[in-house]
C-alpha cells in the first residue's frame, strides 16, 4: 500500500494499548495527524462499549467503535449504540447444553446490549454470570443468575470460562460442538476464556459495514491486531499488520509484523503516512 489509507482500525488490548493500558504520546500524535489529513481512525475490540471509556479518554478523536468482537457498533461521539447482533434465547440454550456436555464444569457469562444506549442505570444488568463463574478481570458490574436467567434474554456475547485450560485448549474442545451456522467462537485472551457470538459476526463483519458507510474499500484499510479474534479483519484489510507480541497464528495471516505494543508498533507503521 503506497497511498495513505483512508481507514485505520486498531485492536485495543495488546495492540493500541501498552501493557500498562496507556495510549502513548507518539500514538496520539499519529492519530491527530491522521485526523487532520482526513483518514478515519477507529478501534475494534472484544470489550463491551462501557469498557472503552478509559481508552477513549486518551484519544484525540471520538470514533465509531467495533465492540464485543463485532456484535456491537458504538458511536462514541454520540455515546450511542447504533447496531447490535445478538444470540437469541433459543440459540443460547442450545449452545449452553452442547458446551456443558463437551466440557463439564465451565462457567458462563452473557453480555447484553441495548439498542440506542451505551449503558443502563444499573450497569450490572448488562453482564450476567452463573454461580461459579471465575471472572477473568475484577468486576463489580455484573449480576448472578441461574441458567434459565442466563439464556432467557438475547446476548451479544456468550462467555465460556474455564481457568483449568488455556483459551486455545478450551477453544479446541468447544469448536466441534459449535456449528458455525449457529454461532461464531473465538478468543482474545490466553487464560481460559472463549467468546461466542452470532453466526458470521466478527470484527471484520462490523468493519465492512463501517467501511461501506463511509465509502472506503477494503484495499484502502490498514488494520492492526494480536489475537485470533483479529484474524478475519487482518485478512480483509488491504494491509493487515500483526503486533510483535501477537500469537504465531495471527502473524502467519498478516501482511507484515510490526514491533510489540510496548514499542509503539502501531505508530511505527502509521508514521509512513502520518
Amino acid at each position: 500500500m503506497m497511498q495513505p489509507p483512508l481507514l485505520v482500525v486498531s485492536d485495543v488490548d495488546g495492540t493500541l494499548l501498552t501493557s500498562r493500558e496507556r495510549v502513548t504520546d507518539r500514538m496520539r500524535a499519529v492519530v491527530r495527524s491522521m485526523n487532520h489529513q482526513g483518514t478515519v481512525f477507529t478501534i475494534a475490540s472484544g470489550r463491551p462499549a462501557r469498557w472503552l471509556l478509559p481508552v477513549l479518554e486518551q484519544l484525540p478523536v471520538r470514533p465509531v467503535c467495533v465492540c464485543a468482537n463485532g456484535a456491537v457498533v458504538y458511536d462514541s461521539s454520540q455515546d450511542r449504540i447504533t447496531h447490535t447482533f445478538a444470540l437469541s434465547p433459543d440459540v443460547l440454550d442450545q449452545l449452553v447444553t452442547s458446551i456443558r456436555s463437551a466440557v463439564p464444569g465451565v462457567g458462563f457469562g452473557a453480555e447484553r446490549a441495548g439498542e440506542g444506549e451505551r449503558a443502563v442505570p444499573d450497569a450490572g444488568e448488562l453482564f450476567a454470570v452463573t454461580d461459579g463463574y471465575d471472572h477473568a478481570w475484577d468486576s463489580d458490574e455484573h449480576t448472578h443468575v441461574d441458567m434459565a436467567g442466563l439464556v432467557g434474554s438475547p446476548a451479544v456475547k456468550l462467555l465460556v470460562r474455564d481457568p483449568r485450560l488455556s483459551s486455545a485448549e478450551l477453544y479446541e474442545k468447544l469448536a466441534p460442538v459449535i456449528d458455525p451456522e449457529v454461532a461464531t467462537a473465538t478468543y482474545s485472551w490466553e487464560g481460559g476464556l472463549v467468546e461466542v457470538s452470532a453466526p458470521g459476526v466478527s470484527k471484520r463483519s462490523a468493519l465492512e459495514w463501517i467501511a461501506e458507510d463511509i465509502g472506503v474499500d477494503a484495499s484502502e484499510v490498514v488494520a492492526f491486531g494480536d489475537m485470533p479474534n483479529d484474524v478475519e479483519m487482518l485478512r480483509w484489510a488491504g494491509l493487515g499488520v500483526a503486533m510483535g507480541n501477537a500469537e504465531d497464528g495471527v502473524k502467519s495471516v498478516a501482511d507484515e509484523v510490526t514491533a510489540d505494543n510496548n514499542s509503539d508498533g502501531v505508530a511505527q507503521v502509521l508514521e509512513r503516512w502520518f
Side-chain angles (χ1 to χ4, degrees):
M1 178 183 288
M2 300 300 294
Q3 296 298 316
L6 298 183
L7 173 63
V8 172
V9 55
S10 177
D11 169 54
V12 173
D13 297 289
T15 303
L16 177 68
L17 298 182
T18 67
S19 58
R20 301 182 70 176
E21 300 198 356
R22 304 304 300 170
V23 178
T24 67
D25 290 341
R26 182 177 179 181
M27 186 63 209
R28 279 192 290 271
V30 170
V31 174
R32 281 192 290 269
S33 176
M34 192 187 315
N35 187 52
H36 179 73
Q37 294 186 44
T39 292
V40 175
F41 176 71
T42 192
I43 54 180
S45 177
R47 295 188 186 203
R50 68 181 187 280
W51 285 5
L52 287 181
L53 183 58
V55 182
L56 295 168
E57 288 176 335
Q58 300 181 63
L59 295 174
V61 295
R62 286 292 181 268
V64 173
C65 306
V66 174
C67 308
N69 291 330
V72 173
V73 178
Y74 167 56
D75 185 344
S76 67
S77 68
Q78 301 294 319
D79 192 22
R80 182 177 179 84
I81 288 175
T82 61
H83 292 76
T84 60
F85 309 91
L87 295 158
S88 70
D90 286 347
V91 169
L92 287 169
D93 188 37
Q94 176 184 339
L95 288 168
V96 165
T97 299
S98 299
I99 290 169
R100 293 173 83 183
S101 297
V103 190
V106 296
F108 293 94
E111 183 71 38
R112 324 284 189 192
E115 191 79 19
E117 57 187 346
R118 183 174 67 89
V120 295
D122 179 2
E125 293 179 11
L126 290 178
F127 186 41
V129 300
T130 55
D131 288 340
Y133 181 87
D134 188 289
H135 289 275
W137 301 274
D138 291 339
S139 171
D140 56 7
E141 293 184 348
H142 62 272
T143 185
H144 287 273
V145 295
D146 60 16
M147 200 58 71
L150 186 89
V151 305
S153 300
V156 292
K157 189 163 66 170
L158 175 69
L159 291 89
V160 186
R161 178 82 169 107
D162 191 337
R164 302 169 297 181
L165 303 170
S166 70
S167 295
E169 291 168 337
L170 182 57
Y171 177 84
E172 289 300 317
K173 289 180 177 292
L174 297 185
V177 301
I178 298 178
D179 183 345
E181 297 294 323
V182 174
T184 299
T186 189
Y187 62 94
S188 59
W189 180 69
E190 297 175 348
L193 181 68
V194 168
E195 303 155 60
V196 185
S197 304
V201 167
S202 67
K203 291 182 180 181
R204 170 180 174 169
S205 66
L207 287 166
E208 287 177 327
W209 179 86
I210 292 171
E212 181 179 3
D213 188 58
I214 62 176
V216 171
D217 186 77
S219 64
E220 302 168 306
V221 179
V222 175
F224 298 85
D226 71 316
M227 291 296 284
N229 63 331
D230 299 316
V231 165
E232 290 302 316
M233 76 172 184
L234 296 186
R235 285 176 169 157
W236 165 76
L239 179 64
V241 183
M243 304 302 293
N245 50 287
E247 289 195 353
D248 288 343
V250 180
K251 291 178 180 178
S252 70
V253 304
D255 298 304
E256 66 176 89
V257 178
T258 187
D260 65 38
N261 62 314
N262 289 319
S263 303
D264 275 313
V266 175
Q268 286 188 36
V269 173
L270 293 176
E271 284 169 349
R272 298 172 190 172
W273 306 285
F274 309 109

